[in-house]
Amino acid sequence: MIGEPIARVWHVTLGIGAVLLLLIAYTILSMRQHRENPDDKTIPSWSQLSEGVKKSVEVNQRSNERWVVADAQATSLRLFWGVFWGVSGSLLIGMLMGCFAFVEAFLYPPLAFLAKIPPIALLAVFFVLAGTGETMYVTMIAFGVLPTLAQTVYLAVKEVPAELRYKAYTLGASHLEIIWNVLLRHVLPKLIDAIRLQIGPAMVYLIAAEMVVGDVGFGYRIRLQFKLLNMSVVYPYIVVLGAFGFGIDYALRKLQAFVSPWYAKGY
Amino acid sequence: MIGEPIARVWHVTLGIGAVLLLLIAYTILSMRQHRENPDDKTIPSWSQLSEGVKKSVEVNQRSNERWVVADAQATSLRLFWGVFWGVSGSLLIGMLMGCFAFVEAFLYPPLAFLAKIPPIALLAVFFVLAGTGETMYVTMIAFGVLPTLAQTVYLAVKEVPAELRYKAYTLGASHLEIIWNVLLRHVLPKLIDAIRLQIGPAMVYLIAAEMVVGDVGFGYRIRLQFKLLNMSVVYPYIVVLGAFGFGIDYALRKLQAFVSPWYAKGY
Amino acid sequence: MDQPASLAIDCLSHGFGTKPVLHDVQLRILRGQIVALVGPSGCGKSTLLRAIVGTHLPRQGTVTVFSGNSHLTGHVVEGPGRDRGIVYQHYSLFPFLTAVENVAFGLMLDQTNISYRLFKFPRWLKRRAEHLKQAREFLDRVGLGSAASLYPSEMSGGMCQRVAVAQALIMKPALLLLDEPFGALDEAMREELQRMLLGLYQENLAARRKGELEPHTMFIVTHELNEALYVGDRVVGLSQYWDWRQAGHAQPPGATVVYDCSAPIFEPDDTRDFSCFAGQREEIRDVVFNPDSAYPREKHLRYWQELEQQREAEPAP
Amino acid sequence: MDQPASLAIDCLSHGFGTKPVLHDVQLRILRGQIVALVGPSGCGKSTLLRAIVGTHLPRQGTVTVFSGNSHLTGHVVEGPGRDRGIVYQHYSLFPFLTAVENVAFGLMLDQTNISYRLFKFPRWLKRRAEHLKQAREFLDRVGLGSAASLYPSEMSGGMCQRVAVAQALIMKPALLLLDEPFGALDEAMREELQRMLLGLYQENLAARRKGELEPHTMFIVTHELNEALYVGDRVVGLSQYWDWRQAGHAQPPGATVVYDCSAPIFEPDDTRDFSCFAGQREEIRDVVFNPDSAYPREKHLRYWQELEQQREAEPAP
Amino acid sequence: PPVFSLAWSEYPSWSAFGVCHETGLINGAAGKLGSIEEKWGVDIELKEAEYDPCIAMYGAGQTDAVCITNMDVLNASLSRPGVAILATSTSYGADACIVSSAIADVKDLKGKKVRGLALSVSEYCFARNLQILGEDPAEYTFVNMDPGAAALAMQQKQADFDAIVVWNPFVLDTLNQRKDCHVLFDSSSIPNEIIDMVVMSESALQKPKGKEFASAVADAFYALNKRMADATTRDDTLIALGEKFSNLDLQSMRKVVQQTKFYATPEEATKLFDSAELKDTMTKVVDFCVKMEIVAKKPVVAFGAGATGNLVFDPAYIAAAAAKP
Ligand SMILES: Nc1ncnc2c1ncn2[C@@H]1O[C@H](COP(=O)(O)OP(=O)(O)OP(=O)(O)O)[C@@H](O)[C@H]1O
Ligand SMILES: Nc1ncnc2c1ncn2[C@@H]1O[C@H](COP(=O)(O)OP(=O)(O)OP(=O)(O)O)[C@@H](O)[C@H]1O
Ligand SMILES: [Mg+2]
Ligand SMILES: [Mg+2]
């Protein structure tokens, strides 16, 4: 019958099997490639890969840094501040839009349009408008995630049943308390959900920008090593990026469970 | 009182006002920039912009094409085929995962990981592995949208109440009919919703790829004109891109209303 | 003893677009009453309640609420306010607060403000503890002492509604409004909550005997006649079916009050024998719910006369 | 006239994890009966129904369904199948089909297959028109002819349940299973649907009078005793409260059938006077719902004796 | 005819192939032939991309030949041995270090960030010039940034932007936009050291018609150079070259072509390939690459027909093109 469940042990076994299969497939592919051209670097062998990993984690003589540490530090700081300002801005804008119909009428059209432009195309605009320093990364991420997040906040506010607002008034709430104690509490978990979804795009802008103007960071390293065709460094970096994304996602889920325990309970 | 609605006429007025305000702000910015440097091209004046637009829509003498037409054609074809294959693949994979627990156990871990990697970082991998022809764009978009779409399909299948499956069996459905006549019908509108959300990322991969390889397409033109600092062409192109995104979104919404009228009725 | 008024609705009319809903509604509720409002579906019961809460202001007429404790002073409703509590059928609780926090929410909003809570945090913590203690007492009163730390999504519909009643009661509103509060619950749960309301009415009677002001005044919208007669000490019928042609209207002008009589009074432990009000039920069916009924609207407004008679019958204290 | 069996449940036991739910359930339903199944919440009524549908196969014992029209042949249930219809409390309809399409859905699935519909499209279209016509007739029978083109989300809960009944009836299942079909509806809607079921029972009686096979056999799970006694011609009580210690168990072995008696038979237009079965209701409360009841489980299984007596009383045809 | 691909990016002497396509000398689409393709019996597929992806494409075997500099080819040749089949131009002022008026002397650069594309000819040009000026490159800070972005930032007078090393058109563009800037040094001090060329992979060359393809590429390049030499088509060709390359006017394009000195005739290129100076240059470049960790190990650079190595400078195909008018 369709939809029949299987035992947990099967789940685990098959999951591990899938990963193993991928690794085996890669090994075969790489071996075939190296039989043709022993110097191939596009599908590095495991020993090449371990070389690449070593290169990334060992202290580099020229720059006196561990690449992956320096890059992770730079990228995560940029990401953090970018997302931080984007979230702050969108919370402000979204709240105002949700609470006050005239703000909504005013800001909705430009936001809706902005949300539709592939941010990568805006790279050029950001170079022009925000320069090429650290602030550029931050501005770019902030502006990149803002339209979608603001829309989410706005919709979340709109979703709060009017009855709850009314009731809060009958309980003696001031306007500010409605926003702070009712609407914000409602919006928070949804905002975190939306941030989780926007981390991906934010990474995309950041990596793209780092590829062009960075002198440290994941994007910079990947571009440089790609140009040198050191795929043995590029692939591990991509895996690190994936793990990075996973880590942030996990942290945000934990945060959500912490600040909005009610939400996880299936509200 | 918070959340109080305003009249429709205000809505329209304020919306138009917002757009006007943006235009005025741009004009002032541009005028200031030109007072400093009359040759400035980073924030072009309106006359410069109209030059740029003319350049984009008139037949170019050398290539004998209208830029914007040729670019739109190339980009939309690539997008179409990429999304087409991505959707087909994700429908297949997602359906199988939703229907058969062992496929789910097998494919979920790699899909979840893939979905977390910023696709821009994968550009390098795609160049190396999929070549640089038209197929590269298509493969890249397809692989880019596949993890998320497949997850959506999979979750949508899982969301179908077991009772509906059971009931269909009691009505004499075969396994294939359960998939085709029950699950697929359920999944379709959600898939379209998910496609709408994935058009953005798909555009990002495409534009990013067009920016580095290719000799026609929106990304190519924006990159080239940006490099030449012809922002008078870049800005209109960005607006066109936004409109493009809007158009696709609109078409998909219409499609959804057509194939799944029940969904719009607030199921 | 003259009961002071708690609510006065004067010449209230309302409508949506060109469609009239309420027409010239007149109603006066005395302190300590539990008034049940019944009427055909869509006649405008909820609309009337919203006008009293102040979220949908009437087109014409006024709603006056009398609050304060020893000297009741009236003020015209212009928006939702502290003196009227409300229990809705759905959305009865704030989903992000536990049961006890929901009950304490009003105390917090009413007695403190944001800057106090932020900048006088230690003092606020002390105050908070008091609030929670008080809230727990009220939860006990509705029989939910053990569910204090559950979130609404973890409670059954009946539990939620009981918490909602506690949440409203703790504020000691001059008037508690309930819009089909038990409509979504199953029979057993309904019975229990109805008994709870009867218990509150007993508190009123006890207070009156002691010569104090009655603590609870309630206005309950319901579509169940049995519930109205069982819980209310007075039943008001709102209906669009009345002899409006006689009154000189060419078009139906909307619903108005067409029935107003006292109802039998039960104690919580009385057996629920509904046969005793079979006659009154039939009368209400005929007057309020029957689309063909064409009585003049004053015909069945007997409450004030009944009150007179009752007073005469009672010996002076 | 000997009624053939429609369902036979033999020695059926079930449980979740280490928790036993059903213990040695024995039940035989005759063609043309409307059997109501009552029991305390959580006793395993739904589990029993799922075992009959075949979606949750029992741990022990078998479920045999007898289908076919003139010669009833039995087969052991191993999965959901064409011969048993089901109406759930929720998820009663396919949300992506209109009312009439929902009713016709079974005809389509049963009589055609995908390749037929794709590759013999013109023929399928003709067939489809017939199906829809037939579906519309069934919709008329449940009083929803005018709602044919509405989607489930556009209909009220009661309308949905009626469509669901039509959807099941059109398949002429050997056995129609209903799991609290009216649990989520309000009183008025319930009454109407109950009357509808009584109408189907009248069809059974008419068929029996004509010497034909009865068209409808139903097994209804409900938690309302009144509903069970009103709609069913036989009430079966499932309960975990019985004298299992007597039967030699150290631990509660799970629920089993502890009550099985015939119920009064109403016609749709009879007045709903429930007082006539007050006694039986009390008996069921005591035997099935009372946690302290400790009767041996056979004690109240009187149905087959009653049937004997009734037959003796009836004059031979 | 068999298809061979050539990846190119926009640069004056490489855009030549794009112009060849426009003028019909070759047809860049696979399956279509231009006049030169017909002449040699091979099908040339042009692949346009940014410079970086061109390198990667070549290294990954996604293209048979690539337009590349003598420095960038070294790393790729380690995994894919190649033959330099054609030298197109040399940077003769096209790479330059542009500084603001705050900097008058090289020594002023100490402690300042000099921006440009790391591990590229820009950095090479920077290091070589410091060397010539008797400075130690280790005392200077070279910071990575895309040349386009660096030029833009310079033009916008962003804070802490005093020096950039970029190539054309960014050099001319920046100088046009910022009159207060000047060139501190440029690649004219190291002529014939930064060489733009076409490299074809060894294995592709061995395929049937591989050698004809190499000759066809050279032939097309010289055909275009003839058009540039011809007074009637000179300006038009220049504009065409500049079209994708930059927004510069005809006047500036003349300057560009001057600073990007074309090896316009087979003789010039052959002379370069045969010169002892080239061997010397390549030694310098290889050493630089080793020092900068651009290459993991020293590639073997060989000269002349029949030589073997990771990178072979073979003038045979230039000669073949010249020999078959
Ligand atoms: N926001 C609105 N816009 C337009 N018409 C409305 C609105 N709200 C209510 N109505 C109409 O006003 C009338 C009265 O509605 P109301 O909800 O007050 O009725 P009700 O007596 O509470 O009915 P019910 O018993 O179903 O709750 C109805 O006919 C309804 O259709
Ligand atoms: N999937 C499951 N896993 C574990 N236990 C279950 C599961 N489904 C049901 N149960 C348990 O089995 C017992 C019987 O459940 P069932 O739903 O059959 O009861 P019911 O009589 O239908 O109750 P109700 O009247 O509430 O519908 C319950 O105690 C329930 O907790
Ligand atoms: Mg209402
Ligand atoms: Mg159940």
Side-chain angles (χ1 to χ4, degrees), chain B residues 161-174 176-177 180-183 185-186 261-262 265-267, chain D residues 55-56 80-82 84 86 88 91-96 106 108-110 112-114 117 151 153-154 167 171:
Chain B
E163 281 82 356
L164 286 184
R165 272 188 285 118
Y166 299 156
K167 179 180 269 194
Y169 277 119
T170 70
L171 295 177
S174 65
L176 207 62
E177 281 175 321
W180 181 256
N181 289 90
V182 179
L183 302 181
R185 295 289 301 265
H186 248 282
W262 58 280
K265 306 204 171 176
Y267 155 71
Chain D
T55 56
H56 295 64
R82 173 62 194 82
R84 283 143 293 147
I86 173 87
Y88 291 105
Y91 316 115
S92 55
L93 294 176
F94 297 96
F96 46 83
M108 172 179 108
L109 294 175
D110 191 40
T112 67
N113 56 37
I114 294 181
R117 299 197 287 274
Y151 284 99
S153 59
E154 298 172 299
Q167 184 186 46
M171 302 302 288

Side-chain angles (χ1 to χ4, degrees), chain B residues 91-257:
Chain B
L91 205 50
L92 184 73
I93 292 178
M95 275 293 199
L96 287 177
M97 278 173 67
C99 292
F100 305 107
F102 64 93
V103 181
E104 173 197 340
F106 194 69
L107 289 184
Y108 197 84
L111 266 190
F113 190 78
L114 229 70
K116 278 272 160 290
I117 296 179
I120 203 108
L122 287 179
L123 264 183
V125 180
F126 275 104
F127 289 150
V128 170
L129 299 185
T132 53
E134 289 295 300
T135 42
M136 182 208 60
Y137 299 111
V138 173
T139 341
M140 195 159 58
I141 296 175
F143 273 93
V145 300
L146 194 134
T148 315
L149 288 185
Q151 272 186 323
T152 307
V153 171
Y154 156 74
L155 289 176
V157 171
K158 287 256 142 188
E159 255 176 31
V160 176
E163 281 82 356
L164 286 184
R165 272 188 285 118
Y166 299 156
K167 179 180 269 194
Y169 277 119
T170 70
L171 295 177
S174 65
H175 295 316
L176 207 62
E177 281 175 321
I178 296 277
I179 294 178
W180 181 256
N181 289 90
V182 179
L183 302 181
L184 192 64
R185 295 289 301 265
H186 248 282
V187 163
L188 223 49
K190 291 186 189 169
L191 178 63
I192 296 180
D193 271 344
I195 296 175
R196 282 177 56 199
L197 285 178
Q198 283 300 301
I199 286 294
M203 288 270 263
V204 169
Y205 318 149
L206 179 57
I207 300 280
E210 284 182 343
M211 278 187 171
V212 282
V213 295
D215 50 9
V216 64
F218 284 130
Y220 166 76
R221 193 74 58 194
I222 288 176
R223 193 260 303 183
L224 199 65
Q225 299 300 318
F226 170 60
K227 197 167 115 183
L228 307 179
L229 261 185
N230 285 342
M231 299 311 274
S232 60
V233 176
V234 172
Y235 292 149
Y237 255 79
I238 285 173
V239 173
V240 168
L241 264 184
F244 197 68
F246 251 113
I248 295 177
D249 200 57
Y250 181 80
L252 283 172
R253 276 212 314 270
K254 286 281 148 200
L255 179 73
Q256 190 188 44

Side-chain angles (χ1 to χ4, degrees), chain D residues 6 10 44 64 89 123 181 193 209 218 243 247-248 266 276 311:
Chain D
S6 180
D10 292 302
T64 316
Q89 175 173 1
R123 259 196 264 174
L193 292 178
R209 273 192 298 273
M218 297 189 203
D243 197 1
F266 288 80
C276 70
R311 285 206 185 130

Side-chain angles (χ1 to χ4, degrees), chain A residues 161-174 176-177 180-183 185-186 261-262 265-267, chain C residues 55 80-82 84 86 88 91-96 105-106 108-110 112-114 117 151 153-154 167 171:
Chain A
E163 282 83 355
L164 286 185
R165 272 187 285 118
Y166 298 156
K167 178 178 271 195
Y169 277 119
T170 69
L171 296 177
S174 65
L176 208 61
E177 281 175 321
W180 182 257
N181 289 91
V182 179
L183 302 182
R185 294 290 300 266
H186 248 282
W262 58 282
K265 306 204 169 173
Y267 155 71
Chain C
T55 56
R82 174 62 195 80
R84 284 143 291 147
I86 173 90
Y88 291 105
Y91 316 114
S92 54
L93 294 176
F94 298 95
F96 46 83
F105 198 50
M108 172 180 105
L109 294 176
D110 191 40
T112 67
N113 56 39
I114 295 181
R117 298 197 288 274
Y151 283 99
S153 59
E154 299 172 297
Q167 184 185 46
M171 303 301 289

Side-chain angles (χ1 to χ4, degrees), chain C residues 13-205:
Chain C
S13 296
H14 200 65
F16 291 101
T18 58
K19 181 185 167 197
V21 172
L22 296 175
H23 171 70
D24 190 29
V25 173
Q26 300 277 2
L27 188 66
R28 205 157 295 265
I29 293 181
L30 300 183
R31 176 119 191 169
Q33 289 189 326
I34 298 194
V35 179
L37 180 70
V38 297
S41 176
C43 72
K45 300 184 294 296
S46 298
T47 306
L48 181 57
L49 224 63
R50 290 196 197 108
I52 303 174
V53 182
T55 56
H56 295 65
L57 297 178
R59 285 199 179 160
Q60 275 175 24
T62 55
V63 176
T64 315
V65 176
F66 299 87
S67 54
N69 258 329
S70 47
H71 301 283
L72 296 177
T73 51
H75 76 99
V76 172
V77 165
E78 277 168 345
R82 174 62 195 80
D83 48 4
R84 284 143 291 147
I86 173 90
V87 176
Y88 291 105
Q89 176 172 2
H90 300 289
Y91 316 114
S92 54
L93 294 176
F94 298 95
F96 46 83
L97 298 176
T98 59
V100 64
E101 286 168 348
N102 256 293
V103 178
F105 198 50
L107 298 178
M108 172 180 105
L109 294 176
D110 191 40
Q111 298 177 8
T112 67
N113 56 39
I114 295 181
S115 75
Y116 177 88
R117 298 197 288 274
L118 283 180
F119 299 118
K120 302 190 175 158
F121 190 68
R123 261 196 263 172
W124 160 233
L125 272 188
K126 247 192 236 161
R127 194 89 166 251
R128 177 76 177 157
E130 279 165 37
H131 286 177
L132 289 176
K133 185 158 157 279
Q134 215 175 326
R136 229 169 252 121
E137 279 162 24
F138 269 82
L139 271 185
D140 280 335
R141 272 177 62 181
V142 298
L144 283 177
S146 60
S149 59
L150 295 183
Y151 283 99
S153 59
E154 299 172 297
M155 293 189 282
S156 72
M159 289 162 87
C160 284
Q161 290 306 87
R162 275 191 281 175
V163 176
V165 172
Q167 184 185 46
L169 286 181
I170 204 171
M171 303 301 289
K172 302 191 172 39
L175 179 63
L176 179 54
L177 304 159
L178 302 101
D179 193 357
E180 311 214 9
F182 315 138
L185 307 182
D186 68 23
E187 202 50 41
M189 201 47 84
R190 271 185 107 105
E191 277 179 31
E192 212 177 311
L193 292 178
Q194 286 164 0
R195 262 197 287 271
M196 191 186 79
L197 293 189
L198 291 183
L200 298 180
Y201 191 69
Q202 291 301 319
E203 290 181 18
N204 277 355
L205 295 183

Side-chain angles (χ1 to χ4, degrees), chain B residues 37 39 41-42 60 62 127-132 211-215 220 223-224 226-230, chain E residues 10 22 47-50 53 57 60 62 152 155-156 169-170 173 177 236 239-240 243-247:
Chain B
N37 175 6
D39 292 331
K41 299 200 289 180
T42 57
N60 184 278
R62 203 161 294 280
F127 289 150
V128 170
L129 299 185
T132 53
M211 278 187 171
V212 282
V213 295
D215 50 9
Y220 166 76
R223 193 260 303 183
L224 199 65
F226 170 60
K227 197 167 115 183
L228 307 179
L229 261 185
N230 285 342
Chain E
E10 294 104 21
E22 280 172 11
K47 290 183 170 176
E48 185 185 348
E50 280 261 64
M57 248 193 266
Q62 299 285 0
L152 185 63
Q155 290 169 28
Q156 287 184 331
F170 308 114
D173 235 355
Q177 292 276 327
D236 184 55
I239 290 171
E243 173 99 284
K244 281 188 172 172
F245 168 67
S246 87
N247 256 15

Side-chain angles (χ1 to χ4, degrees), chain E residues 119-139:
Chain E
L119 311 187
S120 72
V121 290
S122 295
E123 194 166 3
Y124 176 78
C125 173
F126 180 67
R128 275 285 288 143
N129 270 291
L130 288 180
Q131 209 181 347
I132 290 171
L133 294 170
E135 297 288 324
D136 179 8
E139 291 170 18

